[in-house]
Amino acid sequence: MDKKTRLIQTKAVFKYWQHTPSTMLECAIATGILRANICRYVDDFRDAGTIFYLGKKTCSISKHKAGEYTTNPELVK
């Protein structure tokens, strides 16, 4: 993946999580970005301190427990 694509995808994921806390799979389906790439971006956001783990929830897609994330500090409980 080239740098431009990675930057575009990173911004899309960050923006999605600003407004919609969700699991990585839910984010992947909503944005059309591969979940594997989202995992990479979560690591980048963690390193930058710009992502927040909200806890476990049942994913609406997989129906399994998964971590819920947001990039909006106002949504942290």
Side-chain angles (χ1 to χ4, degrees):
M1 168 184 349
D2 63 31
K3 288 182 181 182
K4 183 178 179 181
T5 301
R6 185 174 175 141
L7 180 61
I8 290 168
Q9 288 186 356
T10 299
K11 286 182 178 183
V13 170
F14 189 88
K15 184 177 179 181
Y16 178 78
W17 272 331
Q18 276 284 303
H19 305 287
T20 312
S22 67
T23 67
M24 286 189 249
L25 183 56
E26 290 168 337
C27 181
I29 297 298
T31 62
I33 297 169
L34 292 174
R35 186 179 167 278
N37 291 350
I38 291 175
C39 290
R40 188 175 306 114
Y41 305 147
V42 166
D43 285 341
D44 293 344
F45 296 152
R46 280 187 187 135
D47 291 345
T50 58
I51 194 164
F52 305 95
Y53 174 77
L54 300 176
K56 294 274 187 180
K57 74 169 222 165
T58 302
C59 176
S60 64
I61 297 162
S62 71
K63 307 300 185 213
H64 290 91
K65 292 281 185 182
E68 182 177 30
Y69 298 92
T70 185
T71 54
N72 185 342
E74 294 178 9
L75 298 178
V76 178
K77 301 169 188 171

